[in-house]
Amino acid sequence: MAFYYEEPSRTFSEYLLIPGYTSEECVPDRVSLKCPLVKYRKGEEECPITLNIPLVSAIMQSVSNDTLAVALAREGGISFIYGSQTIADEAAMVARVKNKKAGFVVSGSNLTPDNTLGDVLRLKEMNGFSTVAITENAQPNGKLLGIVTSRDYRISRMTEDTKIREFMTPLEKLVTAPANTTLKEANDIIWDNKLNSLPIVDDRGNLMYFVFRKDYAEHKEYPLCMMDDEKRYLVGAGINSRDYMDRIPALVDAGADVLCIDSSEGFSIWQKRTIDWVRAEYGNKVRIGAGNVVDKDGFRFLAECGADFVKVGIGGGSICITRETKGIGRGQATALIEVAKARDEYYKETGVYVPICSDGGIVYDHHMTLALAMGADFLMLGRYFARFDESPTDKLMINGQYVKEYWGEGSNRARNWQRYDLGGKNNLAFEEGVDSYVTYAGSLHDNVEKSLYKVKSTMCNCGVTNIPDLQKNAKLTVVSATSIVEGGYHDVTLRATTSMNNQ
């Protein structure tokens, strides 16, 4: 006879947090949202990779590219570059994030002295950069010969066929800095010499980076920025259980800080083989997450395989139709509660803490706090990030409203059959995701700041100032259908259209 769970499968909207005692210490500015990204052993001083905010972006074509990865790293989280693209293209995306060293920018506009003013203008129109590096071979790391900025030319007094060598600022008139210059030293040079940009060159005269005056204020604005020891942004990358032997080396070479197997169901031999190969080839030097699972057996399996973190959730994503098409999955709250308990039991038995990631089911900002209270160490979000300027999709006007495109990895548009691989044929037999739109929401920075302030405020209402204490001390209650209705506005007529907190 099949096994039947006695309790129903529940979602976040079926729970509320009960307030705790709020002391004078419980103010949002004192709340820490730091959380572990990868596993660590009991007694170690700290987790090898700790996030400053508990948010990571989903491994999706319509969400996680290099632009969003940089924006989220600045806020204190991390992105997982989508793996449903060629190995070369994914590695290039990872490399672009790592090359955009915090404060040290690889030149994005490069020409030679033999190019023309017309070339400068076209390049500026294409990418918006006003500083153009002039190198021997027009490469970002070529031998530096000079630079061109908007101060070097006047369109009204020059013709577009004017050679760059005639109006550029040559190397001998530039202030430059050597390769070992720190960001603080570079900023001091910029301020002392009243510069807008400072080229960093190696001992052979090759351009390495620019440091820009405008970036100084920007970096002050992002105190939680996720950076490695070389001051480069942290970035993750998605992989599959098919071409991992070729994909993983390319991503590691490109600088990926952490990998994650992107799959709709992780309790499988395919994920074990992938993790086994990583441990055989790289030992523990390469960090790799796995999933997705919805119960203790799935978690235990992946933890024993050696996963660095485990993703929880099947069928809860806004564009996912796995439950509809296959009848498989579990309510996100119920799944998370059981897996969190299994994680804690595993930690007591082995001394190894394997973080869990709640993936799917987040509809409102308060669901973030509920997920963390139920035991999630961090949250993977797709629709939430797809709405922002930094996501890779187009912004469109549909029925008088700005929207952004958003599609599932199991949709025909994505054709990501590897994510649903069960060892069968190499194609997508049926869809497990939809192609859709989400309401455009503006910049990532503004929205993340607002969402996390709500999380911090709720934690203060619960009497805690960090995530571990929230997980330990939170009190949750199941609510009835009538209570859910009561929780919103009711029995009134709104005076005007109200902006709700629906993400």
Side-chain angles (χ1 to χ4, degrees):
M1 182 178 177
F3 177 81
Y4 291 87
Y5 286 89
E6 294 183 2
E7 291 295 321
S9 179
R10 299 190 182 277
T11 67
F12 293 133
S13 289
E14 295 179 78
Y15 287 89
L16 285 175
L17 284 159
I18 303 298
Y21 170 67
T22 302
S23 70
E24 62 183 12
E25 299 297 318
C26 294
V27 293
D29 287 346
R30 293 183 180 178
V31 173
S32 169
L33 294 179
K34 288 180 177 291
C35 60
L37 177 66
V38 297
K39 68 182 179 183
Y40 60 93
R41 284 194 168 274
K42 187 175 183 179
E44 292 182 352
E45 290 187 6
E46 59 182 18
C47 175
I49 304 178
T50 299
L51 297 177
N52 289 321
I53 63 172
L55 304 183
V56 305
S57 66
I59 310 170
M60 301 176 69
Q61 294 173 10
S62 54
V63 177
S64 296
N65 66 346
D66 49 310
T67 303
L68 190 129
V70 170
L72 185 51
R74 285 173 174 166
E75 299 299 326
I78 195 170
S79 288
F80 286 87
I81 301 296
Y82 67 91
S84 52
Q85 58 180 321
T86 68
I87 294 173
D89 286 346
E90 185 180 10
M93 276 194 183
V94 170
R96 285 198 292 273
V97 178
K98 301 306 290 187
N99 285 338
K100 193 171 175 59
K101 195 172 182 179
F104 294 86
V105 182
V106 175
S107 179
S109 291
N110 309 280
L111 295 170
T112 72
D114 292 325
N115 285 110
T116 65
L117 174 59
D119 295 324
V120 172
L121 298 177
R122 283 186 287 274
L123 198 57
K124 183 178 180 180
E125 183 178 0
M126 181 176 67
N127 59 28
F129 302 149
S130 59
T131 299
V132 180
I134 310 305
T135 60
E136 275 189 343
N137 54 6
Q139 295 299 307
N141 299 119
K143 186 173 182 180
L144 183 64
L145 303 178
I147 65 171
V148 170
T149 70
S150 56
R151 295 182 302 177
D152 292 311
Y153 57 86
R154 293 187 66 178
I155 301 174
S156 61
R157 296 188 179 185
M158 299 168 63
T159 61
E160 289 195 14
D161 60 357
T162 305
K163 297 288 187 181
I164 287 177
R165 66 174 69 255
E166 297 181 27
F167 61 89
M168 72 180 188
T169 301
L171 178 63
E172 56 267 23
K173 292 185 178 181
L174 293 176
V175 176
T176 64
N180 60 353
T181 303
T182 66
L183 184 58
K184 182 181 184 306
E185 292 169 341
N187 283 316
D188 288 342
I189 295 171
I190 287 173
W191 287 98
D192 291 344
N193 292 275
K194 299 179 180 179
L195 306 174
N196 286 323
S197 63
L198 175 68
I200 307 296
V201 297
D202 64 20
D203 54 8
R204 293 174 296 177
N206 295 320
L207 177 64
M208 298 178 65
Y209 308 104
F210 276 111
V211 177
F212 292 97
R213 173 187 286 264
K214 65 180 177 61
D215 287 340
Y216 177 78
E218 181 179 288
H219 292 300
K220 289 292 184 181
E221 189 179 352
Y222 300 108
L224 300 178
C225 185
M226 292 295 297
M227 296 181 290
D228 62 19
D229 294 338
E230 298 179 37
K231 303 297 183 183
R232 302 177 301 173
Y233 295 116
L234 261 59
V235 62
I239 63 169
N240 61 68
S241 56
R242 280 278 181 149
D243 64 8
Y244 57 88
M245 295 183 187
D246 297 318
R247 189 174 294 268
I248 290 177
L251 296 174
V252 171
D253 290 344
D257 297 284
V258 60
L259 305 175
C260 184
I261 305 172
D262 182 29
S263 174
S264 64
E265 204 277 297
F267 195 177
S268 73
I269 184 60
W270 318 115
Q271 295 218 2
K272 182 180 188 306
R273 288 177 180 173
T274 304
I275 297 171
D276 286 346
W277 184 86
V278 168
R279 296 301 175 228
E281 294 293 318
Y282 297 98
N284 291 319
K285 293 180 180 179
V286 169
R287 306 287 180 175
I288 179 170
N292 286 19
V293 300
V294 292
D295 65 0
K296 61 182 180 181
D297 295 333
F299 170 83
R300 172 73 67 158
F301 172 79
L302 290 177
E304 291 177 349
C305 286
D308 284 289
F309 64 86
V310 173
K311 286 205 297 161
V312 180
I314 294 176
S318 60
I319 41 68
C320 183
I321 55 173
T322 294
R323 296 181 193 173
E324 293 181 28
T325 57
K326 300 172 71 173
I328 191 171
R330 199 175 194 187
Q332 188 65 11
T334 300
L336 189 56
I337 291 168
E338 179 174 324
V339 173
K341 183 178 179 181
R343 174 205 57 201
D344 294 344
E345 291 173 351
Y346 186 80
Y347 180 53
K348 289 179 181 178
E349 292 175 20
T350 67
V352 177
Y353 188 89
V354 182
I356 58 174
C357 168
S358 179
D359 180 16
I362 301 290
V363 180
Y364 303 100
D365 287 339
H366 73 270
H367 286 173
M368 296 182 182
T369 319
L370 284 166
L372 295 171
M374 291 174 182
D377 293 286
F378 57 97
L379 319 173
M380 178 170 279
L381 306 171
R383 183 180 61 87
Y384 179 82
F385 289 116
R387 305 170 304 139
F388 302 149
D389 289 318
E390 293 83 357
S391 74
T393 62
D394 294 328
K395 183 173 75 171
L396 307 172
M397 176 70 79
I398 303 291
N399 297 326
Q401 184 177 40
Y402 280 115
V403 298
K404 295 206 75 175
E405 296 178 295
Y406 179 48
W407 60 91
E409 289 297 294
S411 67
N412 277 325
R413 182 171 183 175
R415 303 301 301 174
N416 184 12
W417 64 267
Q418 295 95 332
R419 189 177 197 274
Y420 303 89
D421 177 33
L422 294 174
K425 56 186 179 180
N426 298 355
N427 59 42
L428 195 64
F430 54 88
E431 288 187 285
E432 293 190 44
V434 299
D435 193 350
S436 63
Y437 301 115
V438 288
T439 303
Y440 168 69
S443 76
L444 182 146
H445 171 73
D446 292 343
N447 282 277
V448 166
E449 186 176 56
K450 181 178 180 180
S451 295
L452 293 184
Y453 191 82
K454 292 179 185 178
V455 172
K456 290 179 178 181
S457 296
T458 306
M459 289 172 63
C460 290
N461 293 143
C462 294
V464 299
T465 57
N466 58 66
I467 293 173
D469 283 348
L470 176 67
Q471 294 169 341
K472 178 181 177 182
N473 300 324
K475 295 181 289 183
L476 296 105
T477 181
V478 174
V479 296
S480 68
T482 304
S483 295
I484 294 173
V485 173
E486 182 185 64
Y489 67 87
H490 58 89
D491 301 312
V492 297
T493 300
L494 296 185
R495 294 179 60 180
T497 301
T498 303
S499 176
M500 302 301 292
N501 68 336
N502 190 324
Q503 294 170 355

